């Protein structure tokens, strides 16, 4: 694959004008096709970022220079999970231990091969952390493949970059590595952690395909494979593996648990934690629209328009000039940027007919079918799963997450369902979504370490009729 993303560009018809997110391109480089058309004819955000084929100039995203490490090579290995490159990764919140070993561990930045939703090879970045703490459970040191919650669509938001720079606060971008808390709690228990940056987040050849079921499920499973190939990693072929994620990460871990039997049967799952999973994107689009995180709607549209011609055609036909500007702008944003830039925006402002993007897609059978293909819950998950959802969650709506548990139970899955009962902390403010992440984290990690120790899980599917 070239660093100019021949994969994503190949799906764009030659007559389809698509501009490049300006802050993400290499300075001075612009595709001729993008400047040859009028602004009224283009949908700006979902093309892959332009990049110099010789790599002579760095990629800059909202003032942050993306290290050359994140530029994928022209050729990728043949096997999924194969490590392309790796290097030491300084932890921004690391401390020297009393025994001389760094706390909570030693990190490695890595790039590995995966397969995208179109069946094509793709380079994905991430990080592996070897814990300094000893594993006190049964068996060899286990591994957790962690899928982060929503970080954004700009390359500077990648989880592996936030491990080095936990807080990036400048006049152009705000990035916070909030998943570090979960990672460090696992490391303190002696669990090795590998985190994926997802497809297109960090890597400079394409946009991040936000909440794409196949892309993120594959990327998470292949991160687990890649971790076993790193020199110095203490995990063994007999190490138990867990999947862990909340919000976008909950969707990724849920998808990976469904895909594991067919895509990665070699990754033996001891358990999966899926917190607040966005299983039904139609419902989630309605929850996000007009919320504090309305910018995430732009990320999903950008990603699916990049990878799915049916969605792209509908967007091109219905987006207005304000919407084109918003999609382009959001494509380089992190969560903090999106909250300040597009918090509480209604997507009806972005369409020619004044309908929400959700309504526009619902009215087009091909586009709605594309979203329906993203539905999680059509397959039985491998191994035991703990699914947690806040009953007041209105961003990643509680009802669709509960329905995922029901769907899995009906398929014979081993599901521990936990409805987190909290008072309503403010509609559309993100609080009903974020607070359960914090309050449930201890129980989630305790459940996970039990699975990694070989303790059996007990399904509570029988209680679903009386569960909120």
């Amino acid at each position: 694959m070239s660093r100019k993303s021949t994969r994503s560009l190949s799906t764009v018809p030659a007559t389809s004008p698509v501009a490049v997110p300006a802050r993400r391109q290499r300075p001075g480089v612009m595709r001729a096709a993008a400047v040859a058309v009028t602004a009224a004819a283009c949908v700006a955000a979902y093309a892959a970022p332009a990049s110099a084929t010789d790599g002579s100039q760095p990629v800059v995203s909202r003032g942050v220079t993306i290290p050359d490490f994140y530029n994928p090579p022209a050729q990728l290995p043949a096997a999924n999970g194969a490590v392309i490159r790796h290097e030491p990764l300084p932890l921004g919140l690391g401390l020297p231990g009393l025994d001389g070993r760094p706390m909570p561990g030693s990190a490695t930045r890595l790039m590995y091969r995966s397969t995208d939703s179109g069946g094509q090879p793709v380079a994905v970045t991430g990080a592996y952390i070897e814990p300094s703490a000893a594993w006190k459970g049964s068996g060899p040191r286990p591994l957790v493949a962690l899928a982060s919650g929503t970080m954004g669509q700009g390359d500077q938001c990648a989880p592996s970059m936030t491990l080095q720079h936990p807080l990036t606060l400048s006049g152009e971008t705000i990035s916070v590595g909030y998943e570090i808390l979960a990672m460090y709690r696992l490391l303190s228990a002696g669990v090795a952690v590998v985190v994926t940056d997802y497809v297109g987040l960090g890597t400079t050849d394409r946009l991040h395909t936000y909440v794409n079921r196949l892309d993120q499920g594959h990327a998470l499973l292949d991160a687990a494979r890649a971790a076993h190939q790193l020199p110095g990693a203490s995990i063994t072929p007999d190490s138990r593996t867990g999947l862990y994620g909340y919000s976008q990460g909950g969707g990724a871990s849920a998808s990976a648990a469904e895909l594991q039997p067919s895509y990665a049967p070699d990754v033996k799952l001891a358990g999966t934690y899926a917190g607040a999973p966005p299983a039904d994107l139609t419902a989630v689009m309605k929850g996000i629209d007009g919320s504090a995180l309305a910018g995430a709607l732009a990320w999903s549209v950008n990603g699916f328009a990049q990878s799915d011609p049916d969605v792209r055609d509908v967007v091109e036909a219905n987006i207005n000039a304000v919407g084109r500007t918003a999609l382009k702008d959001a494509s380089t944003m992190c969560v903090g940027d999106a909250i300040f830039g597009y918090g509480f925006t209604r997507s009806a402002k972005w369409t020619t007919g004044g309908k929400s993007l959700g309504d526009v897609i619902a009215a087009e059978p091909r586009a709605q079918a594309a979203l329906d293909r993203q539905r999680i819950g059509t397959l039985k998950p491998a191994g035991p799963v703990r699914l947690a959802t806040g009953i007041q969650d209105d961003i990643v709506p509680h009802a669709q997450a509960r329905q995922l548990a029901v769907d899995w139970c009906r398929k014979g899955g081993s599901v521990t369902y936990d409805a987190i009962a909290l008072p309503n902390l403010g509609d559309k403010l993100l609080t009903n979504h974020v607070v359960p992440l914090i309050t449930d984290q201890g129980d989630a990690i305790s459940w996970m370490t039990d699975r990694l120790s070989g303790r059996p899980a007990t399904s509570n599917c029988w209680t679903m009729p009386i569960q909120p």
Side-chain angles (χ1 to χ4, degrees):
M1 177 187 302
S2 76
R3 298 226 311 266
K4 202 166 181 178
S5 185
T6 55
R7 159 72 189 102
S8 59
L9 292 179
S10 66
T11 63
V12 182
T15 57
S16 177
V18 183
V20 177
R23 288 193 179 95
R24 200 170 174 184
Q25 67 188 33
R26 296 186 187 276
V29 179
M30 191 72 167
R31 288 195 295 124
V35 297
V37 297
T38 62
C42 70
V43 178
Y46 51 78
S51 57
T53 55
D54 62 359
S56 61
Q57 298 182 64
V59 172
V60 178
S61 182
R62 289 191 176 262
V64 177
T65 299
I66 308 302
D68 287 343
F69 182 95
Y70 291 87
N71 297 329
Q75 299 296 323
L76 300 182
N80 287 321
V83 174
I84 298 168
R85 63 174 69 117
H86 62 88
E87 67 179 16
L89 172 62
L91 292 176
L93 294 178
L95 295 171
L98 296 178
D99 59 358
R101 293 185 298 173
M103 298 293 293
S106 301
T108 300
R109 196 188 326 262
L110 70 152
M111 179 184 286
Y112 59 94
R113 180 215 148 111
S114 189
T115 296
D116 69 14
S117 57
Q120 299 299 311
V122 60
V124 181
T125 52
Y128 171 79
I129 310 176
E130 174 73 18
S132 295
W135 167 245
K136 297 181 180 178
S138 65
R141 186 189 301 279
L143 172 72
V144 162
L146 188 143
S148 71
T150 296
M151 303 299 291
Q153 201 161 44
D155 286 334
Q156 77 278 14
C157 321
S160 65
M161 292 191 69
T162 64
L163 280 168
Q164 184 174 1
H165 307 287
L167 176 62
T168 299
L169 182 61
S170 69
E172 295 189 67
T173 192
I174 302 172
S175 176
V176 180
Y178 61 87
E179 289 286 11
I180 290 175
L181 177 59
M183 294 183 214
Y184 281 26
R185 292 178 78 164
L186 288 164
L187 292 166
S188 69
V191 178
V193 173
V194 64
V195 58
T196 180
D197 288 340
Y198 298 125
V199 173
L201 191 57
T203 48
T204 57
D205 61 335
R206 63 179 73 193
L207 286 179
H208 170 40
T209 47
Y210 182 67
V211 296
N212 184 300
R213 177 178 68 91
L214 293 176
D215 277 12
Q216 58 190 18
H218 291 171
L220 187 60
L221 291 167
D222 287 328
R225 286 166 156 163
H228 282 270
Q229 301 176 35
L230 292 173
S234 61
I235 52 176
T236 76
D238 296 323
S239 293
R240 297 185 178 99
T241 300
L243 306 176
Y244 185 103
Y246 186 91
S247 191
Q248 181 188 2
S253 63
S255 175
E258 289 189 347
L259 296 170
Q260 180 270 342
S262 60
Y263 182 79
D266 52 305
V267 179
K268 305 301 183 184
L269 296 184
T272 297
Y273 168 64
D280 180 352
L281 295 189
T282 299
V284 174
M285 286 179 72
K286 294 177 181 178
I288 291 175
D289 205 341
S291 75
L293 197 57
L297 188 58
W299 298 332
S300 62
V301 170
N302 285 341
F304 288 121
Q306 175 184 243
S307 61
D308 197 308
D310 290 335
V311 176
R312 178 167 60 249
D313 291 346
V314 171
V315 173
E316 286 181 340
N318 290 276
I319 205 77
N320 62 23
V322 173
R324 286 192 296 271
T325 299
L327 294 180
K328 179 179 179 180
D329 190 30
S331 71
T332 56
M333 284 183 164
C334 298
V335 169
D337 312 324
I339 291 174
F340 286 108
Y342 295 102
F344 307 107
T345 296
R346 294 283 180 182
S347 67
K349 297 180 179 179
W350 299 344
T351 64
T352 55
K355 294 181 179 180
S356 70
L357 283 171
D359 288 343
V360 166
I361 289 174
E364 297 287 345
R366 290 189 306 160
Q368 183 60 53
L371 278 195
D372 291 343
R373 288 193 293 271
Q374 298 297 324
R375 182 70 178 262
I376 304 172
T378 62
L379 300 170
K380 177 183 175 181
V385 179
R386 180 175 185 271
L387 193 157
T389 167
I391 62 173
Q392 301 291 348
D393 196 333
D394 54 348
I395 304 296
V396 180
H398 166 71
Q400 60 86 44
R402 184 189 186 280
Q403 185 61 46
L404 175 58
V406 171
D407 292 342
W408 277 346
C409 286
R410 287 173 177 168
K411 287 178 169 53
S414 175
V415 181
T416 301
Y417 171 76
D418 196 342
I420 304 168
L422 293 169
N424 189 329
L425 301 173
D427 294 340
K428 300 288 189 178
L429 297 179
L430 270 180
T431 43
N432 287 326
H433 180 62
V434 172
V435 172
L437 161 69
I438 300 169
T439 60
D440 186 57
Q441 192 171 87
D443 289 342
I445 290 176
S446 178
W447 183 91
M448 178 59 68
T449 53
D450 280 347
R451 305 291 79 75
L452 297 175
S453 291
R455 300 185 184 96
T458 302
S459 172
N460 65 351
C461 280
W462 65 273
T463 69
M464 288 308 302
I466 60 172
Q467 289 272 15

